[in-house]
Amino acid sequence: MATPSKKRSTSSPQASKRALPRDPSSEVPSKRKNSALQLPVLQSSGPFVEGSIVRISMENFLTYDICEVSPGPHLNMIVGANGTGKSSIVCAICLGLAGKPAFMGRADKVGFFVKRGCSRGMVEIELFKASGNLVITREIDVAKNQSFWFINKKSTTQKVVEEQVAALNIQVGNLCQFLPQDKVGEFAKLSKIELLEATEKSIGPPEMHRYHCKLKNFREKEKQLETSCKEKTEYLQKMVQRNERYKQDVERFYERKRHLDLIEMLEAKRPWVEYENVRQEYEEVKLVRDRVKEEVRKLKEGQIPITRRIEEMENERHNLEAQIKEKATDIKEASQKCKQKQDVIERKDKHIEELQQALIVKQNEELDRQRRIDNTRKMIEDLQNELKTTENCENLQPQIDAIANDLRRIQDEKALCEGEIIDKRRERETLEKEKKSVDDHIVRFDSLMNQKEDKLRQRFRDTYDAVLWLRNNRDKFKQRVCEPIMLTVRDNKKLRVNAVIAPKSSYADKAPSRSLNELKQYGFFSYLRELFDAPDPVMSYLCCQYHIHEVPVGTEKTRERIERVIEETRLKQIYTAEEKYVVKTSFYSNKVISSNTSLKVAQFLTVTVDLEQRRHLEEQLKEIHRKLQAVDSGLTALRETSKHLEHKDNELRQKKKELLERKTKKRQLEQKISSKLGSLKLMEQDTCNLEEEERKASTKIKEINVQKAKLVTELTNLIKICTSLHIQKVDLILQNTTVISEKNKLESDYMAASSQLRLTEQHFIELDENRQRLLQKCKELMKRARQVCNLGAEQTLPQEYQTVFQDLPNTLDEIDALLTEERSRASCFTGLNPTIVQEYTKREEEIEQLTEELKGKKVELDQYRENISQVKERWLNPLKELVEKINEKFSNFFSSMQCAGEVDLHTENEEDYDKYGIRIRVKFRSSTQLHELTPHHQSGGERSVSTMLYLMALQELNRCPFRVVDEINQGMDPINERRVFEMVVNTACKENTSQYFFITPKLLQNLPYSEKMTVLFVYNGPHMLEPNRWNLKAFLRRRRRITFTQPS
């Protein structure tokens, strides 16, 4: 229902004949221009239950200025025409008890519930409590969209209010307790699980929902433990099986270890045996060394006389060698003088040879000069002959000038062609940029269209499929079909979509009945038709059907003056940025009634596409393609022309080159002849007198020969002196040889004795080194033996080693043989990895630990199962009883209406506690079967009846303090409405039942009423009294006087 706003209409109260007031002192709520009248049918004798509503007070809330409602403890009927403010009372209850604004389905901000034009609003709820009533106040600030809370006039927080409300078991968010007008349809949409949860919270004991939550948690834990136990058991079995596989390998490993231990003891004893063997060898070597040392001493004493004789012979040899050296010096000086003479003679010979060679060179040069002169004369004669045959070059210049003119003309044509090619390329680049820009625009348009189609596919799948069908089957239609579809299209897919036919005559351009200039004073800036674009048939249909050309759109100024706008303009429909206003005229009173609705957020028309602009872009793209083709053709022709001009240019340049070469050839020949004549003149001047040169050379050679003869005589004398000195030197050498021979014999004897001494000394050194080596080896073997046995420097061999060593061989050969045997045995155990034994041992420990963990997990699992069993018994049995009671009452209600219905506890698996739910099945016709209550199978009236009867079945079982049902009877037919009303009255007016609010805009005639029910009539209109002037007692007294004074 739309929120009313200052409606100026009147309506008469509706009640049956038995609904007359009996108590003149009843409280009367008041309202400025809207009021609610409380008329109790009979004085209520039952008390309020804990948490029932005693009083509802509203100030500047929705349609109310000031209003206070005092409901009764049982059934409260709130009756009034549509738009009078019945649902405003429901909103006040919800928001006053800390409910969410969105739950009402009207607005998501609390500020929208404040009366238009007011900055603050207030809702106050007084709840019954045995220890003292609880008064909850909520003040709403529109500007900040903020609420301020008070409990018993003391400031508090929303959280504290929610805790106080929850303590009284008030659940305004539970559809089983609080069913506002806009949420009636959602009750049927509740899943079985959600319905069970809402029922538990509404009528179950406080611990029932808590037990249900515990069961779900326990079950989840149980599943986790079962999975954990299963995984650990499987893992334990795998580990045990793996250890069984490796058990034999472990036994072989330990057998191999026994062999290795024996090898270790043999290797420990072996150094001690080696040490003892080396120590004995050391003692033997030491005795031999001492004997050799004595022999060395005796040999050294026998060598002393031989040494003295050798020294005497050595002195004599030195004297003889000194004399030999003197003679050798004299010989050397004489030899050098001879060599000098020989060098001078050789230089004289060389000088003679040089003179002869120079003469030969001059003779050759003269012959060569004569030959070159002959060749030059011959070349000059050839060049003069060629010059005579060369034509006159003056006739070639006109041809060269003509070719140069042709070249200049072709260059100009080429430059012009190149300029045109550059212009064409620039034009093509410009067209390419324009093409890319247009392509980008088209891609953006296509992207927007895809967004619109995607939204259509997500929200209306059948319509989307029909659009695709239409695009492939447009040839089947005679006239234009707009998208989304305007005709009912059915194909083999059996799609059904809504379609309409556009009017034959177009309304798209129909002028509005009022000029927009007349409405601008009220803040209107456009008609609705002008704010969007659409194809002509669509716009024509909208104008014809919805008169969008007559609907003005205003601004905030329009919203602020809405009352004046409605009164003065008499417009039927008005839009602002946030709201839609509908104005109607009452058929009975001819009064104007207005209602406003908040506009929803745009969902499907947020993306706009200008199809006309897209077609214009496509035409522009075709024109660009045409221009590109023309430019490409022009470029091809220009390139061919440029190529032809280039070829012609090359031919002319080649011709010009050939003519220039012919023109310069004669000049070159004349220059060559002149150059050759000059060379010939120089060669003829350069002459040489060979006879004079031969005479000069002969004279010089004779002089040199005379000098050469004198030098030969001097050389002969020097050779004789040198020969005498050589003879004297030979005599001294023979004497020295005799001395050396005797000395060598003595040295030989000495060397023999020394050799014996050296051998003996070498033997001694070797024995001593061997002794040192053996001593060092003994130390090393002792050190190694101690290290093998882990002994310190001062420690003796432990007794256990001595005991073991006694059983082992005492020789190295026996030890090595036994070591080889044990190593062979140990090597037979191949493929054994120490990590396998470590992993085996580690797995044994892990198996033991895992066994303990599995045992603990199983104990914990048993505990959880025991807890589940206990909690399940506490939860399921009462729940089954509760559902059975609900089913009994629900079935009785349906039976009284000649229909059938049942409620049962439904689950697919008894252990899945989160899958338990309440299933409602109903049957309204005898010819059908029971069907589950769903939003789709039953009609709206059937769902309303089922919902109402289910709530009635909860009424007597309900532990909540009150229940609110808003206009649930709107979709019922009169028969079902009467039956349901009787059930509501009978059920809600029983003793010990909770408070009940039933809101309806109408009542059938002659309905049964109960003394415990309270009827609240809601009126509105321009002539309502102010709250301080409302006096029900005075009204009753006046009514009695009028009745008594009227003539019978």
Side-chain angles (χ1 to χ4, degrees):
M1 185 196 328
T3 306
S5 175
K6 289 192 177 181
K7 300 180 181 177
R8 291 178 171 80
S9 63
T10 59
S11 61
S12 59
Q14 302 176 22
S16 66
K17 295 180 180 179
R18 294 186 295 169
L20 294 175
R22 295 185 179 182
D23 187 1
S25 62
S26 300
E27 295 182 3
V28 180
S30 61
K31 170 184 173 180
R32 186 173 298 145
K33 297 193 179 180
N34 282 355
S35 66
L37 175 63
Q38 176 184 353
L39 293 175
V41 178
L42 286 174
Q43 180 65 37
S44 176
S45 59
F48 286 94
V49 299
E50 192 84 359
S52 296
I53 297 175
V54 177
R55 178 174 59 86
I56 305 169
S57 179
M58 295 166 284
E59 183 176 342
N60 296 331
F61 187 78
L62 291 176
T63 59
Y64 294 101
D65 291 335
I66 297 174
C67 182
E68 186 173 292
V69 180
S70 298
H74 297 291
L75 175 62
N76 291 273
M77 297 286 297
I78 301 177
V79 184
N82 288 331
T84 54
K86 304 183 300 302
S87 295
S88 299
I89 300 175
V90 177
C91 293
I93 296 173
C94 177
L95 297 180
L97 296 177
K100 305 297 181 185
F103 180 72
M104 303 302 301
R106 287 172 173 248
D108 56 351
K109 294 182 180 179
V110 70
F112 289 153
F113 289 87
V114 176
K115 186 174 182 179
R116 190 176 309 282
C118 298
S119 61
R120 297 177 70 89
M122 185 272 292
V123 175
E124 187 171 271
I125 307 293
E126 183 176 352
L127 302 176
F128 176 78
K129 285 186 71 173
S131 59
N133 288 359
L134 182 69
V135 179
I136 300 174
T137 306
R138 182 175 189 172
E139 293 184 359
I140 303 170
D141 189 329
V142 176
K144 298 180 180 179
N145 191 41
Q146 189 176 0
S147 297
F148 302 94
W149 297 89
F150 301 88
I151 294 182
N152 294 331
K153 305 302 181 181
K154 294 180 180 180
S155 179
T156 185
T157 62
Q158 182 174 349
K159 184 177 181 182
V160 175
V161 173
E162 290 173 350
E163 292 173 353
Q164 292 281 354
V165 170
L168 295 172
N169 198 34
I170 298 173
Q171 306 165 19
V172 292
N174 190 341
L175 295 180
C176 289
Q177 180 177 347
F178 198 91
L179 193 62
Q181 176 183 353
D182 295 328
K183 295 289 183 177
V184 172
E186 291 189 12
F187 185 87
K189 296 179 182 179
L190 288 177
S191 66
K192 296 186 283 291
I193 298 172
E194 293 172 338
L195 184 59
L196 173 60
E197 184 177 354
T199 303
E200 286 179 337
K201 291 179 180 178
S202 178
I203 65 171
E207 65 275 4
M208 178 174 286
H209 182 64
R210 189 169 65 253
Y211 284 154
H212 192 185
C213 294
K214 279 186 179 180
L215 276 175
K216 289 189 281 189
N217 293 334
F218 284 161
R219 177 55 181 161
E220 186 64 28
K221 271 287 188 180
E222 182 187 14
K223 289 180 179 178
Q224 294 176 0
L225 287 171
E226 287 175 349
T227 304
S228 178
C229 288
K230 183 179 179 181
E231 292 175 352
K232 287 184 181 296
T233 302
E234 292 175 353
Y235 183 58
L236 181 61
Q237 291 174 355
K238 289 180 181 178
M239 291 181 68
V240 171
Q241 292 173 1
R242 188 178 298 176
N243 265 16
E244 285 296 327
R245 288 198 302 270
Y246 291 120
K247 186 174 182 181
Q248 186 177 0
D249 291 342
V250 173
E251 291 175 353
R252 293 177 67 240
F253 177 83
Y254 283 116
E255 184 177 354
R256 176 176 178 270
K257 189 174 184 302
R258 287 194 294 272
H259 291 291
L260 294 177
D261 291 341
L262 179 57
I263 291 170
E264 183 180 357
M265 296 309 297
L266 287 169
E267 290 177 345
K269 183 177 180 180
R270 194 177 190 285
W272 291 99
V273 175
E274 285 182 341
Y275 166 74
E276 185 61 28
N277 293 340
V278 173
R279 189 188 64 78
Q280 292 176 4
E281 185 179 356
Y282 168 77
E283 294 296 335
E284 293 174 359
V285 170
K286 185 178 180 183
L287 291 174
V288 175
R289 169 187 170 275
D290 294 339
R291 288 197 301 270
V292 173
K293 185 177 181 182
E294 183 63 22
E295 291 179 6
V296 169
R297 187 186 64 79
K298 291 178 180 180
L299 288 171
K300 285 182 178 181
E301 290 176 355
Q303 282 186 327
I304 294 174
I306 299 173
T307 304
R308 290 175 183 170
R309 178 62 183 161
I310 290 172
E311 290 176 355
E312 293 174 356
M313 298 298 293
E314 182 66 21
N315 292 332
E316 186 178 358
R317 186 183 67 82
H318 284 163
N319 292 331
L320 290 172
E321 286 181 353
Q323 295 176 14
I324 293 170
K325 286 182 179 179
E326 290 177 0
K327 297 298 180 183
T329 302
D330 294 340
I331 293 170
K332 184 177 180 182
E333 291 177 357
S335 297
Q336 286 179 350
K337 291 178 180 179
C338 291
K339 188 175 184 308
Q340 290 174 357
K341 297 298 181 181
Q342 288 177 350
D343 291 340
V344 173
I345 293 170
E346 288 178 357
R347 283 199 295 274
K348 296 298 181 180
D349 292 337
K350 188 175 182 182
H351 191 194
I352 292 170
E353 185 179 354
E354 288 176 354
L355 291 172
Q356 292 174 349
Q357 188 66 30
L359 181 59
I360 293 170
V361 168
K362 288 181 179 181
Q363 291 173 351
N364 291 334
E365 287 179 353
E366 181 63 21
L367 292 174
D368 183 62
R369 186 178 69 85
Q370 292 296 332
R371 186 172 55 256
R372 283 190 286 111
I373 289 171
D374 294 339
N375 290 335
T376 303
R377 288 173 177 169
K378 185 176 180 181
M379 289 177 62
I380 291 170
E381 185 179 354
D382 292 339
L383 289 172
Q384 288 174 347
N385 294 331
E386 186 177 357
L387 180 61
K388 292 177 182 179
T389 60
T390 303
E391 64 179 336
N392 191 359
C393 61
E394 294 178 357
N395 299 328
L396 299 177
Q397 189 59 40
Q399 298 179 25
I400 295 172
D401 295 339
I403 292 173
N405 293 332
D406 292 342
L407 280 172
R408 282 193 295 273
R409 180 179 54 79
I410 289 173
Q411 289 293 334
D412 293 340
E413 291 179 1
K414 282 178 62 179
L416 182 62
C417 185
E418 289 294 333
E420 292 180 358
I421 289 173
I422 291 171
D423 292 340
K424 289 292 183 181
R425 285 176 178 170
R426 288 175 182 171
E427 184 180 357
R428 194 179 192 284
E429 290 176 359
T430 303
L431 290 172
E432 287 289 349
K433 290 179 181 178
E434 292 180 3
K435 178 177 176 293
K436 185 177 183 302
S437 176
V438 173
D439 285 337
D440 293 342
H441 276 81
I442 292 175
V443 169
R444 286 197 292 272
F445 274 114
D446 291 342
S447 177
L448 294 174
M449 283 301 296
N450 291 336
Q451 292 179 28
K452 293 182 69 176
E453 291 176 3
D454 189 54
K455 285 191 176 183
L456 180 66
R457 179 180 59 79
Q458 294 176 4
R459 184 64 180 86
F460 304 105
R461 182 68 191 195
D462 277 2
T463 305
Y464 176 77
D465 292 341
V467 169
L468 296 181
W469 180 91
L470 173 64
R471 291 174 180 174
N472 296 327
N473 297 273
R474 288 190 183 274
D475 56 339
K476 297 182 180 181
F477 298 91
K478 295 181 179 179
Q479 299 295 332
R480 178 186 177 189
V481 180
C482 298
E483 298 177 3
I485 307 283
M486 301 183 87
L487 292 175
T488 300
V489 179
R490 298 184 184 178
D491 64 345
N492 54 0
K493 292 186 177 181
K494 304 299 182 184
L495 297 176
R496 289 182 176 270
V497 294
N498 293 329
V500 294
I501 300 175
K504 294 181 179 179
S505 60
S506 177
Y507 284 76
D509 299 325
K510 187 176 181 181
S513 59
R514 290 189 181 186
S515 172
L516 187 62
N517 293 329
E518 298 178 11
L519 301 177
K520 284 186 178 180
Q521 59 177 323
Y522 302 107
F524 294 106
F525 63 91
S526 175
Y527 281 102
L528 191 60
R529 179 182 63 184
E530 313 303 330
L531 298 181
F532 64 94
D533 294 327
D536 189 73
V538 176
M539 185 66 77
S540 177
Y541 172 78
L542 293 175
C543 291
C544 177
Q545 184 69 24
Y546 298 104
H547 305 288
I548 60 173
H549 63 291
E550 298 282 0
V551 179
V553 181
T555 59
E556 187 65 26
K557 178 181 177 182
T558 309
R559 184 177 173 219
E560 292 173 357
R561 305 179 181 181
I562 193 63
E563 294 182 5
R564 178 186 167 193
V565 172
I566 294 172
E567 182 177 357
E568 295 180 1
T569 61
R570 295 289 180 173
L571 293 169
K572 295 182 180 180
Q573 205 169 12
I574 299 171
Y575 276 88
T576 64
E578 297 180 353
E579 294 179 332
K580 167 188 173 184
Y581 296 87
V582 178
V583 182
K584 296 180 180 179
T585 304
S586 174
F587 180 75
Y588 299 99
S589 61
N590 202 28
K591 298 293 183 179
V592 176
I593 301 173
S594 66
S595 63
N596 66 312
T597 307
S598 296
L599 297 179
K600 296 181 179 179
V601 178
Q603 297 181 7
F604 306 111
L605 297 179
T606 56
V607 180
T608 60
V609 177
D610 191 343
L611 296 178
E612 185 62 31
Q613 186 179 358
R614 191 183 190 284
R615 284 193 294 271
H616 175 69
L617 288 172
E618 289 177 348
E619 292 175 358
Q620 187 176 352
L621 185 63
K622 291 179 182 178
E623 179 64 20
I624 290 171
H625 279 297
R626 186 189 62 74
K627 290 181 179 179
L628 280 172
Q629 290 176 357
V631 170
D632 290 339
S633 300
L635 274 174
T636 304
L638 287 172
R639 288 192 184 102
E640 290 295 329
T641 303
S642 177
K643 187 176 179 182
H644 175 71
L645 291 173
E646 184 69 25
H647 179 69
K648 193 171 182 181
D649 181 83
N650 292 335
E651 290 180 349
L652 291 173
R653 287 181 184 276
Q654 184 63 29
K655 289 180 180 179
K656 184 179 179 181
K657 182 180 178 182
E658 292 174 355
L659 291 172
L660 289 173
E661 287 177 353
R662 289 169 59 189
K663 181 179 179 181
T664 58
K665 186 173 182 181
K666 182 177 180 181
R667 188 181 301 114
Q668 290 174 354
L669 289 172
E670 291 174 348
Q671 290 176 354
K672 285 181 180 180
I673 291 170
S674 176
S675 175
K676 293 298 180 181
L677 288 173
S679 299
L680 179 62
K681 185 176 180 181
L682 290 174
M683 284 187 291
E684 288 176 346
Q685 291 175 356
D686 187 16
T687 59
C688 179
N689 191 352
L690 288 177
E691 294 177 356
E692 182 65 23
E693 292 295 332
E694 288 175 358
R695 186 185 60 78
K696 289 179 180 180
S698 177
T699 303
K700 288 182 180 179
I701 291 171
K702 287 179 181 179
E703 292 175 358
I704 292 171
N705 285 330
V706 172
Q707 297 173 3
K708 183 178 175 184
K710 186 179 179 181
L711 289 172
V712 169
T713 303
E714 293 175 358
L715 178 61
T716 304
N717 295 329
L718 289 172
I719 291 173
K720 291 178 180 179
I721 295 170
C722 187
T723 302
S724 176
L725 291 172
H726 273 290
I727 293 170
Q728 294 173 10
K729 181 182 177 183
V730 170
D731 290 340
L732 292 173
I733 290 172
L734 291 173
Q735 294 175 16
N736 187 41
T737 301
T738 303
V739 173
I740 291 171
S741 176
E742 292 178 0
K743 178 178 174 286
N744 288 340
K745 183 180 180 184
L746 289 173
E747 286 179 350
S748 177
D749 294 341
Y750 179 81
M751 289 299 294
S754 297
S755 178
Q756 181 65 29
L757 177 61
R758 282 196 303 273
L759 290 173
T760 306
E761 285 179 343
Q762 183 66 30
H763 189 201
F764 171 77
I765 292 171
E766 289 176 356
L767 289 172
D768 190 61
E769 288 177 353
N770 194 19
R771 182 187 70 83
Q772 293 292 338
R773 181 181 60 77
L774 291 173
L775 178 61
Q776 185 64 28
K777 188 174 182 181
C778 284
K779 292 179 180 179
E780 291 176 357
L781 289 172
M782 174 60 74
K783 183 178 179 181
R784 192 177 72 178
R786 289 182 177 278
Q787 287 177 350
V788 170
C789 298
N790 296 322
L791 298 177
E794 303 298 331
Q795 289 180 320
T796 59
L797 190 66
Q799 184 62 38
E800 58 268 18
Y801 276 97
Q802 296 179 12
T803 303
V804 174
F805 287 173
Q806 288 177 0
D807 298 332
L808 298 177
N810 293 320
T811 64
L812 288 177
D813 293 339
E814 292 175 346
I815 290 173
D816 290 342
L818 187 56
L819 271 174
T820 302
E821 181 182 351
E822 290 299 321
R823 284 171 179 163
S824 299
R825 290 180 179 178
S827 65
C828 293
F829 296 92
T830 57
L832 296 179
N833 192 345
T835 56
I836 293 177
V837 179
Q838 295 174 4
E839 292 175 358
Y840 179 87
T841 307
K842 185 178 179 181
R843 274 196 296 271
E844 285 291 335
E845 296 173 356
E846 194 173 351
I847 286 170
E848 184 177 355
Q849 181 182 356
L850 196 60
T851 304
E852 291 297 325
E853 290 180 5
L854 186 59
K855 184 178 179 182
K857 289 287 184 183
K858 288 182 178 179
V859 171
E860 187 179 0
L861 180 60
D862 292 339
Q863 291 175 353
Y864 267 103
R865 286 173 175 168
E866 184 178 355
N867 292 337
I868 289 173
S869 178
Q870 294 174 358
V871 176
K872 180 180 179 181
E873 184 177 355
R874 297 175 186 173
W875 170 73
L876 189 57
N877 292 337
L879 179 62
K880 287 182 177 178
E881 294 176 3
L882 183 65
V883 173
E884 187 60 36
K885 292 178 181 178
I886 296 172
N887 179 50
E888 181 181 354
K889 295 184 180 297
F890 188 75
S891 299
N892 291 339
F893 288 150
F894 263 87
S895 297
S896 65
M897 297 174 61
Q898 286 77 45
C899 300
E902 66 176 33
V903 177
D904 61 359
L905 188 64
H906 178 266
T907 183
E908 296 177 358
N909 184 2
E910 189 176 350
E911 301 299 325
D912 291 337
Y913 303 106
D914 55 342
K915 301 295 177 60
Y916 274 77
I918 288 181
R919 180 174 60 179
I920 301 176
R921 297 193 298 166
V922 296
K923 181 178 72 172
F924 288 91
R925 286 167 289 279
S926 59
S927 60
T928 61
Q929 299 293 327
L930 285 170
H931 289 284
E932 187 174 346
L933 181 64
T934 65
H936 312 293
H937 191 274
Q938 290 81 13
S939 66
E942 290 172 347
R943 289 198 302 273
S944 298
V945 171
S946 303
T947 301
M948 195 67 191
L949 294 184
Y950 184 79
L951 296 178
M952 288 298 98
L954 301 182
Q955 179 65 19
E956 294 184 2
L957 305 172
N958 196 2
R959 65 183 183 87
C960 64
F962 66 86
R963 177 178 286 108
V964 177
V965 179
D966 189 1
E967 295 193 17
I968 199 171
N969 60 333
Q970 289 303 291
M972 300 182 190
D973 57 69
I975 297 175
N976 285 335
E977 184 178 355
R978 184 176 297 277
R979 291 173 178 173
V980 169
F981 184 84
E982 291 177 2
M983 294 177 191
V984 171
V985 172
N986 294 334
T987 304
C989 293
K990 289 182 180 180
E991 290 292 337
N992 300 323
T993 59
S994 60
Q995 195 176 33
Y996 201 100
F997 290 89
F998 186 83
I999 293 89
T1000 179
K1002 62 181 179 62
L1003 287 174
L1004 299 175
Q1005 295 182 355
N1006 300 321
L1007 293 174
Y1009 295 93
S1010 171
E1011 295 180 354
K1012 294 182 179 181
M1013 66 184 290
T1014 301
V1015 179
L1016 299 172
F1017 286 95
V1018 181
Y1019 289 90
N1020 64 10
H1023 305 296
M1024 299 301 297
L1025 292 176
E1026 296 294 330
N1028 55 5
R1029 295 175 58 191
W1030 188 274
N1031 190 333
L1032 183 59
K1033 293 181 181 180
F1035 296 158
L1036 293 174
R1037 286 196 299 270
R1038 181 182 177 188
R1039 177 62 181 169
R1040 291 192 185 99
R1041 286 198 303 270
I1042 293 173
T1043 304
F1044 293 151
T1045 57
Q1046 285 179 352
S1048 58

